[in-house]
Amino acid sequence: MIYLDNNATTEIDPRVVDVMLDVLRSGPCNASSQHAVGRAARLRIDEAIDMIGSAIDSPLDQPGGPRLIFTSGGTESNNLALRGLADPDAPIVISRIEHPSVIAVAEQLAAQRREIRWLDVDRAGVAKIDSLADLIQGGNRTAGLVSLMSANNETGVIQPIEQAAQICRDLGVTFHVDATQSIGKVPISFRTLGASAVTMSAHKFHGPTGIGGLWIDGGVKLLPLLHGGEQQLESRPGTEPVPLICGMATALQLATSELPQIQPRLGSLRDRLEQGLRSAHPPLVVHGCLSEEADAARAPRLPNTTCLSFLGADRQSMLMALDMAGVACSSGSACSSGSSPPSHVLLAMGLPAEQVQSALRFGVSKFSTEKKIDSAIERISSCYKRLTQKRSVEN
Protein backbone atom coordinates (compact mmCIF):
# COMPACT_ATOMS: atom_id res chain seq x y z
CA MET A 1 0.00 0.00 0.00
CA ILE A 2 1.27 3.46 -0.95
CA TYR A 3 0.01 5.73 1.80
CA LEU A 4 -0.96 9.19 0.51
CA ASP A 5 -3.56 10.17 3.11
CA ASN A 6 -1.28 12.05 5.48
CA ASN A 7 -3.76 14.88 6.04
CA ALA A 8 -6.01 12.34 7.74
CA THR A 9 -3.27 10.89 9.91
CA THR A 10 0.45 10.21 9.71
CA GLU A 11 2.62 7.21 10.41
CA ILE A 12 4.05 7.49 13.90
CA ASP A 13 7.80 8.16 14.00
CA PRO A 14 9.68 5.17 15.46
CA ARG A 15 11.60 7.54 17.74
CA VAL A 16 8.28 8.64 19.23
CA VAL A 17 7.32 5.02 19.82
CA ASP A 18 10.59 4.47 21.69
CA VAL A 19 9.87 7.38 24.03
CA MET A 20 6.33 6.21 24.70
CA LEU A 21 7.47 2.64 25.39
CA ASP A 22 10.03 3.95 27.86
CA VAL A 23 7.29 5.81 29.74
CA LEU A 24 4.88 2.85 29.63
CA ARG A 25 7.56 0.54 31.01
CA SER A 26 8.50 2.92 33.80
CA GLY A 27 5.47 1.98 35.90
CA PRO A 28 2.20 3.66 36.96
CA CYS A 29 1.78 7.21 35.61
CA ASN A 30 -0.79 9.32 37.45
CA ALA A 31 0.61 12.81 37.74
CA SER A 32 -2.04 13.79 40.31
CA SER A 33 -0.71 11.36 42.92
CA GLN A 34 1.38 12.95 45.67
CA HIS A 35 3.77 10.05 46.25
CA ALA A 36 7.14 9.60 44.53
CA VAL A 37 5.69 7.66 41.58
CA GLY A 38 3.16 10.40 40.95
CA ARG A 39 5.81 13.11 41.25
CA ALA A 40 7.91 11.29 38.66
CA ALA A 41 4.94 11.32 36.27
CA ARG A 42 4.41 15.02 36.92
CA LEU A 43 8.06 15.69 36.13
CA ARG A 44 7.69 13.93 32.80
CA ILE A 45 4.72 16.14 31.93
CA ASP A 46 6.59 19.27 32.96
CA GLU A 47 9.53 18.29 30.79
CA ALA A 48 7.20 17.57 27.89
CA ILE A 49 5.56 20.99 28.28
CA ASP A 50 8.99 22.64 28.17
CA MET A 51 9.77 20.75 24.95
CA ILE A 52 6.48 21.80 23.38
CA GLY A 53 6.96 25.43 24.40
CA SER A 54 10.38 25.48 22.78
CA ALA A 55 9.06 23.85 19.60
CA ILE A 56 6.19 26.33 19.13
CA ASP A 57 8.24 29.37 20.25
CA SER A 58 6.05 30.08 23.26
CA PRO A 59 7.33 29.72 26.84
CA LEU A 60 4.75 27.80 28.87
CA ASP A 61 6.33 28.11 32.31
CA GLN A 62 5.68 31.78 33.09
CA PRO A 63 2.97 32.62 35.66
CA GLY A 64 0.10 34.41 33.92
CA GLY A 65 1.60 33.67 30.50
CA PRO A 66 0.49 31.31 27.74
CA ARG A 67 -0.51 27.80 28.71
CA LEU A 68 -1.28 24.52 26.99
CA ILE A 69 -4.34 22.40 27.72
CA PHE A 70 -3.92 18.77 26.70
CA THR A 71 -6.96 17.28 24.95
CA SER A 72 -7.76 14.11 23.04
CA GLY A 73 -7.00 15.82 19.72
CA GLY A 74 -8.05 18.50 17.27
CA THR A 75 -11.79 17.85 17.45
CA GLU A 76 -11.93 18.28 21.22
CA SER A 77 -9.66 21.33 21.09
CA ASN A 78 -11.88 23.00 18.50
CA ASN A 79 -15.01 22.17 20.49
CA LEU A 80 -13.41 23.57 23.63
CA ALA A 81 -12.39 26.75 21.82
CA LEU A 82 -15.75 27.50 20.22
CA ARG A 83 -17.74 26.79 23.36
CA GLY A 84 -15.37 28.20 25.94
CA LEU A 85 -13.50 31.20 24.56
CA ALA A 86 -16.27 33.78 24.22
CA ASP A 87 -19.33 35.11 26.00
CA PRO A 88 -22.05 32.45 25.54
CA ASP A 89 -24.31 35.01 23.89
CA ALA A 90 -21.73 36.68 21.63
CA PRO A 91 -21.79 36.01 17.87
CA ILE A 92 -19.08 33.80 16.35
CA VAL A 93 -17.38 34.28 12.98
CA ILE A 94 -16.04 31.25 11.10
CA SER A 95 -15.13 30.58 7.48
CA ARG A 96 -17.14 28.27 5.23
CA ILE A 97 -14.19 25.91 4.76
CA GLU A 98 -13.49 25.06 8.40
CA HIS A 99 -13.04 21.51 9.63
CA PRO A 100 -16.26 19.63 10.52
CA SER A 101 -15.31 19.87 14.21
CA VAL A 102 -15.76 23.63 13.92
CA ILE A 103 -18.69 23.79 11.52
CA ALA A 104 -20.75 21.16 13.38
CA VAL A 105 -20.31 23.02 16.67
CA ALA A 106 -21.28 26.30 15.00
CA GLU A 107 -24.40 24.73 13.51
CA GLN A 108 -25.39 23.27 16.88
CA LEU A 109 -24.89 26.65 18.55
CA ALA A 110 -26.96 28.26 15.79
CA ALA A 111 -29.76 25.81 16.53
CA GLN A 112 -29.58 27.09 20.11
CA ARG A 113 -30.06 30.67 18.77
CA ARG A 114 -26.37 31.60 18.85
CA GLU A 115 -25.56 33.96 15.98
CA ILE A 116 -23.03 32.53 13.52
CA ARG A 117 -21.52 34.77 10.86
CA TRP A 118 -19.90 33.11 7.83
CA LEU A 119 -16.72 34.27 6.12
CA ASP A 120 -16.72 33.42 2.41
CA VAL A 121 -13.73 32.23 0.36
CA ASP A 122 -12.63 32.91 -3.23
CA ARG A 123 -12.29 30.32 -6.01
CA ALA A 124 -8.78 29.47 -4.86
CA GLY A 125 -10.09 28.65 -1.38
CA VAL A 126 -8.65 31.68 0.41
CA ALA A 127 -10.80 33.40 3.03
CA LYS A 128 -12.01 36.84 1.93
CA ILE A 129 -10.25 38.63 4.74
CA ASP A 130 -11.34 42.08 3.49
CA SER A 131 -14.85 41.36 4.75
CA LEU A 132 -13.78 40.12 8.20
CA ALA A 133 -14.01 43.47 10.01
CA ASP A 134 -17.54 44.06 8.72
CA LEU A 135 -18.59 40.59 9.84
CA ILE A 136 -17.16 41.17 13.31
CA GLN A 137 -18.92 44.50 13.70
CA GLY A 138 -22.10 43.70 11.77
CA GLY A 139 -25.52 43.21 13.29
CA ASN A 140 -26.64 44.37 16.70
CA ARG A 141 -23.59 43.10 18.55
CA THR A 142 -19.85 42.78 17.98
CA ALA A 143 -18.69 39.20 17.56
CA GLY A 144 -16.99 37.62 20.56
CA LEU A 145 -14.89 35.06 18.69
CA VAL A 146 -13.34 34.50 15.28
CA SER A 147 -12.20 30.98 14.38
CA LEU A 148 -10.11 30.39 11.26
CA MET A 149 -7.94 27.46 10.19
CA SER A 150 -4.32 28.18 9.30
CA ALA A 151 -4.44 25.88 6.25
CA ASN A 152 -7.29 23.91 4.76
CA ASN A 153 -7.30 20.18 5.37
CA GLU A 154 -8.67 19.34 1.91
CA THR A 155 -6.92 21.75 -0.47
CA GLY A 156 -3.87 22.64 1.62
CA VAL A 157 -4.49 26.33 0.88
CA ILE A 158 -2.84 28.52 3.50
CA GLN A 159 -5.09 31.17 5.02
CA PRO A 160 -4.23 34.83 5.82
CA ILE A 161 -3.90 34.24 9.55
CA GLU A 162 -1.61 37.20 10.27
CA GLN A 163 -4.05 39.64 8.66
CA ALA A 164 -6.98 38.13 10.52
CA ALA A 165 -5.07 38.31 13.80
CA GLN A 166 -4.34 42.00 13.30
CA ILE A 167 -7.99 42.76 12.54
CA CYS A 168 -9.10 40.88 15.65
CA ARG A 169 -6.53 42.68 17.81
CA ASP A 170 -7.64 46.06 16.48
CA LEU A 171 -11.27 45.25 17.28
CA GLY A 172 -10.57 43.54 20.61
CA VAL A 173 -11.96 40.16 19.52
CA THR A 174 -10.74 36.72 20.65
CA PHE A 175 -9.09 34.89 17.75
CA HIS A 176 -8.84 31.09 17.58
CA VAL A 177 -6.66 29.36 14.99
CA ASP A 178 -7.04 25.71 14.02
CA ALA A 179 -3.40 24.94 13.15
CA THR A 180 -3.93 21.18 12.98
CA GLN A 181 -2.71 20.85 9.40
CA SER A 182 0.10 23.42 9.48
CA ILE A 183 2.28 22.25 12.35
CA GLY A 184 5.15 20.14 11.08
CA LYS A 185 4.65 21.23 7.47
CA VAL A 186 5.37 24.98 7.54
CA PRO A 187 7.16 27.16 10.12
CA ILE A 188 4.87 28.54 12.81
CA SER A 189 5.58 30.67 15.88
CA PHE A 190 2.82 30.93 18.45
CA ARG A 191 4.59 33.93 19.99
CA THR A 192 4.24 36.01 16.83
CA LEU A 193 1.09 34.44 15.38
CA GLY A 194 -1.17 36.91 17.14
CA ALA A 195 -3.80 34.34 18.09
CA SER A 196 -5.66 34.06 21.38
CA ALA A 197 -5.86 30.26 21.13
CA VAL A 198 -4.43 27.59 18.80
CA THR A 199 -5.49 23.99 18.17
CA MET A 200 -2.99 21.20 17.50
CA SER A 201 -3.15 17.42 17.14
CA ALA A 202 -0.18 15.06 17.51
CA HIS A 203 -1.17 12.43 14.96
CA LYS A 204 -0.92 15.03 12.19
CA PHE A 205 2.85 15.39 12.74
CA HIS A 206 3.88 11.75 13.21
CA GLY A 207 2.86 11.57 16.86
CA PRO A 208 0.35 9.30 18.61
CA THR A 209 -3.40 9.36 18.05
CA GLY A 210 -5.53 10.45 21.00
CA ILE A 211 -3.55 13.48 22.18
CA GLY A 212 -3.66 17.11 21.14
CA GLY A 213 -3.77 20.50 22.71
CA LEU A 214 -5.34 23.92 22.91
CA TRP A 215 -2.74 26.65 23.41
CA ILE A 216 -4.18 29.69 25.16
CA ASP A 217 -2.48 33.07 25.38
CA GLY A 218 -1.92 34.75 28.74
CA GLY A 219 -5.01 36.51 30.09
CA VAL A 220 -7.44 34.62 27.85
CA LYS A 221 -10.30 33.07 29.83
CA LEU A 222 -11.77 29.68 29.04
CA LEU A 223 -14.97 27.97 30.21
CA PRO A 224 -14.36 24.21 30.59
CA LEU A 225 -16.47 21.58 28.89
CA LEU A 226 -15.74 18.90 31.49
CA HIS A 227 -16.02 18.95 35.26
CA GLY A 228 -15.01 16.68 38.10
CA GLY A 229 -11.28 17.10 38.59
CA GLU A 230 -8.59 19.65 39.31
CA GLN A 231 -6.19 18.61 36.55
CA GLN A 232 -4.94 21.31 34.17
CA LEU A 233 -6.28 24.05 36.43
CA GLU A 234 -9.78 22.54 35.99
CA SER A 235 -9.79 23.64 32.34
CA ARG A 236 -9.84 20.03 31.18
CA PRO A 237 -10.09 17.64 34.13
CA GLY A 238 -9.14 14.00 33.89
CA THR A 239 -6.01 11.96 34.48
CA GLU A 240 -3.32 13.12 32.07
CA PRO A 241 -2.11 10.43 29.61
CA VAL A 242 1.61 10.73 30.35
CA PRO A 243 2.87 8.38 27.58
CA LEU A 244 0.80 10.21 24.96
CA ILE A 245 1.93 13.61 26.21
CA CYS A 246 5.58 12.58 26.07
CA GLY A 247 5.02 11.13 22.60
CA MET A 248 3.40 14.35 21.42
CA ALA A 249 6.26 16.46 22.77
CA THR A 250 8.86 14.29 21.07
CA ALA A 251 6.98 14.28 17.76
CA LEU A 252 6.58 18.05 17.84
CA GLN A 253 10.24 18.62 18.65
CA LEU A 254 11.27 16.35 15.77
CA ALA A 255 8.79 17.95 13.37
CA THR A 256 9.96 21.50 14.04
CA SER A 257 13.69 20.79 14.26
CA GLU A 258 13.72 18.75 11.03
CA LEU A 259 11.37 21.07 9.12
CA PRO A 260 14.11 22.97 7.20
CA GLN A 261 15.11 19.67 5.56
CA ILE A 262 11.65 18.12 5.33
CA GLN A 263 9.61 21.03 3.95
CA PRO A 264 11.34 21.36 0.55
CA ARG A 265 11.33 17.57 0.15
CA LEU A 266 7.58 17.44 0.79
CA GLY A 267 7.01 20.13 -1.83
CA SER A 268 9.17 18.31 -4.35
CA LEU A 269 7.30 15.04 -3.87
CA ARG A 270 3.89 16.72 -4.05
CA ASP A 271 4.88 18.56 -7.24
CA ARG A 272 6.23 15.33 -8.73
CA LEU A 273 2.86 13.68 -8.13
CA GLU A 274 0.91 16.59 -9.62
CA GLN A 275 3.16 17.00 -12.65
CA GLY A 276 3.20 13.29 -13.39
CA LEU A 277 -0.57 13.05 -13.31
CA ARG A 278 -1.18 16.25 -15.25
CA SER A 279 1.31 15.18 -17.88
CA ALA A 280 -0.61 11.95 -18.40
CA HIS A 281 -4.03 13.59 -18.03
CA PRO A 282 -4.03 17.29 -19.05
CA PRO A 283 -7.74 17.86 -18.18
CA LEU A 284 -7.01 17.02 -14.54
CA VAL A 285 -7.68 20.03 -12.27
CA VAL A 286 -5.43 21.06 -9.37
CA HIS A 287 -7.37 23.00 -6.73
CA GLY A 288 -5.92 26.01 -4.97
CA CYS A 289 -5.28 27.79 -8.29
CA LEU A 290 -6.90 30.95 -9.57
CA SER A 291 -5.93 29.83 -13.05
CA GLU A 292 -5.39 26.24 -14.13
CA GLU A 293 -2.63 27.18 -16.57
CA ALA A 294 -0.70 29.87 -14.66
CA ASP A 295 1.42 28.53 -11.82
CA ALA A 296 2.00 32.14 -10.74
CA ALA A 297 -1.68 32.38 -9.88
CA ARG A 298 -1.55 29.53 -7.39
CA ALA A 299 -2.65 30.24 -3.84
CA PRO A 300 -0.02 29.37 -1.23
CA ARG A 301 -0.46 25.75 -0.16
CA LEU A 302 0.98 23.33 2.34
CA PRO A 303 3.94 21.59 0.70
CA ASN A 304 2.53 18.10 1.16
CA THR A 305 -1.08 18.52 0.00
CA THR A 306 -2.85 18.37 -3.33
CA CYS A 307 -6.54 18.18 -4.18
CA LEU A 308 -7.23 16.96 -7.71
CA SER A 309 -10.39 16.59 -9.77
CA PHE A 310 -10.41 13.58 -12.11
CA LEU A 311 -12.95 14.86 -14.58
CA GLY A 312 -15.15 12.14 -16.01
CA ALA A 313 -14.78 9.87 -12.96
CA ASP A 314 -16.79 9.69 -9.76
CA ARG A 315 -14.71 10.35 -6.64
CA GLN A 316 -16.10 7.38 -4.70
CA SER A 317 -15.45 5.01 -7.60
CA MET A 318 -11.91 6.37 -7.92
CA LEU A 319 -11.35 6.04 -4.20
CA MET A 320 -12.41 2.39 -4.17
CA ALA A 321 -10.43 1.60 -7.30
CA LEU A 322 -7.30 3.16 -5.83
CA ASP A 323 -7.79 1.27 -2.60
CA MET A 324 -7.89 -1.98 -4.57
CA ALA A 325 -4.80 -0.86 -6.50
CA GLY A 326 -2.90 -0.16 -3.28
CA VAL A 327 -3.06 3.63 -3.06
CA ALA A 328 -4.53 5.23 0.08
CA CYS A 329 -6.04 8.69 -0.39
CA SER A 330 -9.23 10.52 0.59
CA SER A 331 -12.35 12.08 -0.91
CA GLY A 332 -12.43 14.84 1.71
CA SER A 333 -12.04 15.34 5.44
CA ALA A 334 -11.22 12.14 7.31
CA CYS A 335 -14.10 12.97 9.65
CA SER A 336 -16.64 12.83 6.82
CA SER A 337 -14.97 10.76 4.10
CA GLY A 338 -17.19 7.78 4.81
CA SER A 339 -20.31 9.71 3.81
CA SER A 340 -21.60 10.56 0.35
CA PRO A 341 -22.07 14.36 0.53
CA PRO A 342 -19.63 16.30 -1.68
CA SER A 343 -16.89 18.45 -0.19
CA HIS A 344 -18.25 21.53 1.56
CA VAL A 345 -14.85 23.16 0.96
CA LEU A 346 -14.99 22.84 -2.83
CA LEU A 347 -18.64 23.89 -2.84
CA ALA A 348 -17.75 27.01 -0.85
CA MET A 349 -15.11 27.79 -3.49
CA GLY A 350 -17.91 27.91 -6.08
CA LEU A 351 -16.45 25.14 -8.25
CA PRO A 352 -18.46 23.38 -10.97
CA ALA A 353 -20.34 20.27 -9.89
CA GLU A 354 -18.22 18.04 -12.15
CA GLN A 355 -15.04 19.14 -10.36
CA VAL A 356 -16.57 18.70 -6.92
CA GLN A 357 -17.91 15.22 -7.70
CA SER A 358 -14.54 13.99 -9.01
CA ALA A 359 -12.15 15.43 -6.40
CA LEU A 360 -9.66 13.42 -4.35
CA ARG A 361 -7.07 14.54 -1.79
CA PHE A 362 -3.50 13.28 -1.62
CA GLY A 363 -0.95 14.04 1.08
CA VAL A 364 2.72 13.03 1.17
CA SER A 365 4.88 12.78 4.29
CA LYS A 366 8.53 12.56 5.29
CA PHE A 367 8.25 8.80 4.83
CA SER A 368 7.19 9.15 1.17
CA THR A 369 9.78 8.48 -1.53
CA GLU A 370 10.21 9.30 -5.21
CA LYS A 371 9.88 5.59 -6.01
CA LYS A 372 6.54 5.41 -4.22
CA ILE A 373 5.31 8.59 -5.91
CA ASP A 374 6.21 7.27 -9.36
CA SER A 375 4.45 4.00 -8.61
CA ALA A 376 1.43 5.92 -7.34
CA ILE A 377 1.29 7.93 -10.58
CA GLU A 378 1.16 4.70 -12.59
CA ARG A 379 -1.54 3.15 -10.41
CA ILE A 380 -3.67 6.32 -10.30
CA SER A 381 -3.38 6.78 -14.07
CA SER A 382 -4.37 3.19 -14.69
CA CYS A 383 -7.44 3.44 -12.47
CA TYR A 384 -8.47 6.76 -13.99
CA LYS A 385 -8.18 5.45 -17.55
CA ARG A 386 -10.16 2.32 -16.72
CA LEU A 387 -12.99 4.25 -15.05
CA THR A 388 -13.30 6.88 -17.76
CA GLN A 389 -13.29 4.20 -20.49
CA LYS A 390 -15.99 2.27 -18.62
CA ARG A 391 -18.07 5.42 -18.25
CA SER A 392 -17.64 6.21 -21.93
CA VAL A 393 -18.83 2.74 -22.92
CA GLU A 394 -21.82 2.98 -20.59
CA ASN A 395 -22.79 6.39 -22.00
Side-chain angles (χ1 to χ4, degrees), residues 214-237:
L214 181 66
W215 175 92
I216 300 178
D217 200 8
V220 175
K221 296 182 179 180
L222 179 75
L223 295 175
L225 292 180
L226 305 177
H227 303 276
E230 297 181 357
Q231 295 91 346
Q232 304 197 74
L233 301 178
E234 299 185 357
S235 296
R236 201 276 192 178

Side-chain angles (χ1 to χ4, degrees), residues 3 68 85 88 104 144 154 166-167 177 215 227 229 238 246 255 272 276-277 280 301 314 318 321 323 325 387:
Y3 187 76
L68 180 66
L85 283 175
E154 293 190 28
Q166 185 61 56
I167 292 170
V177 175
W215 175 92
H227 303 276
C246 293
R272 188 183 188 94
L277 290 173
R301 293 182 297 163
D314 174 73
M318 272 291 290
D323 186 32
L387 288 176

Side-chain angles (χ1 to χ4, degrees), residues 77-86 92 94 101-103 105-106 109 114 145 147 176:
S77 293
N78 285 341
N79 273 256
L80 184 57
L82 260 69
R83 292 184 179 278
L85 283 175
I92 296 176
I94 68 171
S101 61
V102 169
I103 290 181
V105 176
L109 292 173
R114 185 82 171 265
L145 175 68
S147 182
H176 166 247

Side-chain angles (χ1 to χ4, degrees), residues 336-347:
S336 59
S337 58
S339 58
S340 58
S343 164
H344 72 281
V345 173
L346 300 183
L347 290 173

Side-chain angles (χ1 to χ4, degrees), residues 301-341:
R301 293 182 297 163
L302 296 174
N304 78 312
T305 306
T306 183
C307 184
L308 308 172
S309 280
F310 295 83
L311 302 181
D314 174 73
R315 70 185 191 282
Q316 293 293 346
S317 298
M318 272 291 290
L319 188 67
M320 290 186 288
L322 289 175
D323 186 32
M324 295 293 291
V327 177
C329 62
S330 173
S331 62
S333 169
C335 294
S336 59
S337 58
S339 58
S340 58

